[in-house]
């Protein structure tokens, strides 16, 4: 006769199955991979890629770029996407998909273990590899839920911000909303 309740046995089985996965996850770290180029072999290919990318610009984007860039040079190599074949080669080599891809940095982040980092560093198209920086807030969860509006004025005829009250109040959004500013028509 087994004295462990069924619920506890299921919990133990679940823990036993998840431990290898969790321990493997703790070994991997987010890593930025910076590429040496955008993958174009010569100036003609690069020029054609810039022309193709310029055709895809929205009218508002084109107008904004015309204000700040030289005529005939709306886009630069930095504006081109990260080379897809570089990303696919890293994925095939490591089995890891890119978490974030940033064209202006010509970089992508991956969750690599140390062996994968060393392998990727040796690729010809990789300029450098750096860990993604983290942030520890030092915030400790309070024992009880504070009233988010405690210590702040209450709003009449305004949106109920709920638990986001404090962060909105810090930026003075409630006052802006009360004065009719709601971000309508703003392109971010």
């Amino acid at each position: 006769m087994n004295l462990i309740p069924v619920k506890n046995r299921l919990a133990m089985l679940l823990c036993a199955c998840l431990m290898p996965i969790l321990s493997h996850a703790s070994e991997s770290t987010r890593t930025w991979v910076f590429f040496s180029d955008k993958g174009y072999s010569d100036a003609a290919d690069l020029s054609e890629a810039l022309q193709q990318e310029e055709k895809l610009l929205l009218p508002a984007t084109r107008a904004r770029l015309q204000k700040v860039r030289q005529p005939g040079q709306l886009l630069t190599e930095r504006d081109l996407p990260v080379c897809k074949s570089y990303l696919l080669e890293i994925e095939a080599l490591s089995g890891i998909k890119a978490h974030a891809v940033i064209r202006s940095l010509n970089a992508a982040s991956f969750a690599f273990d140390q062996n994968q980092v060393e392998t990727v560093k040796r690729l010809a198209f990789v300029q450098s590899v750096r860990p993604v920086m983290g942030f520890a807030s030092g915030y400790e969860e309070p024992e009880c839920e504070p009233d988010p509006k405690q210590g702040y004025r209450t709003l009449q005829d305004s949106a109920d911000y709920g638990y986001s009250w404090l962060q909105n109040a810090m930026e003075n959004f409630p006052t802006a909303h009360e004065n009719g500013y709601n971000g309508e028509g703003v392109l971010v």
Side-chain angles (χ1 to χ4, degrees):
M1 182 165 158
N2 198 337
L3 298 175
I4 301 174
V6 173
K7 242 193 320 190
N8 290 351
R9 279 188 273 166
L10 288 174
M12 288 169 50
L13 178 63
L14 185 61
C15 285
C17 292
L18 288 178
M19 283 308 256
I21 296 169
L22 294 174
S23 66
H24 176 70
S26 67
E27 294 173 12
S28 66
T29 56
R30 293 269 180 195
T31 306
W32 280 114
V33 177
F34 293 89
F35 302 107
S36 56
D37 56 46
K38 294 284 187 163
Y40 298 100
S41 57
D42 59 28
D45 287 343
L46 178 60
S47 178
E48 185 175 329
L50 288 169
Q51 289 174 4
Q52 291 300 320
E53 196 70 21
E54 192 172 325
K55 289 178 185 176
L56 300 174
L57 292 176
L58 297 171
T61 306
R62 182 179 301 281
R64 181 178 49 80
L65 288 172
Q66 286 173 337
K67 292 178 185 178
V68 296
R69 301 242 174 124
Q70 300 293 324
Q73 295 180 338
L74 289 185
L75 299 178
T76 66
E77 188 174 359
R78 264 184 92 166
D79 298 311
L80 293 174
V82 172
C83 181
K84 187 80 168 169
S85 65
Y86 294 171
L87 297 172
L88 292 173
E89 188 169 337
I90 290 175
E91 184 181 330
L93 187 66
S94 66
I96 308 290
K97 286 186 178 240
H99 177 257
V101 179
I102 302 181
R103 66 172 61 195
S104 60
L105 294 177
N106 198 24
S109 72
F110 298 86
F112 289 144
D113 63 31
Q114 192 55 42
N115 292 334
Q116 292 167 324
V117 169
E118 294 304 319
T119 302
V120 168
K121 274 184 183 178
R122 291 190 287 268
L123 294 173
F125 53 82
V126 173
Q127 180 180 5
S128 64
V129 175
R130 292 184 224 147
V132 173
M133 299 305 288
F135 173 75
S137 70
Y139 174 77
E140 293 182 23
E141 192 69 33
E143 288 183 26
C144 62
E145 262 323 292
D147 180 5
K149 295 181 182 178
Q150 185 178 2
Y152 292 93
R153 65 187 176 88
T154 57
L155 296 177
Q156 295 175 358
D157 302 323
S158 186
D160 179 19
Y161 294 91
Y163 289 110
S164 69
W165 169 260
L166 181 59
Q167 67 198 42
N168 282 290
M170 287 170 55
E171 297 296 330
N172 212 19
F173 293 147
T175 304
H177 292 157
E178 286 177 335
N179 289 316
Y181 297 102
N182 60 12
E184 186 177 328
V186 175
L187 179 65
V188 178

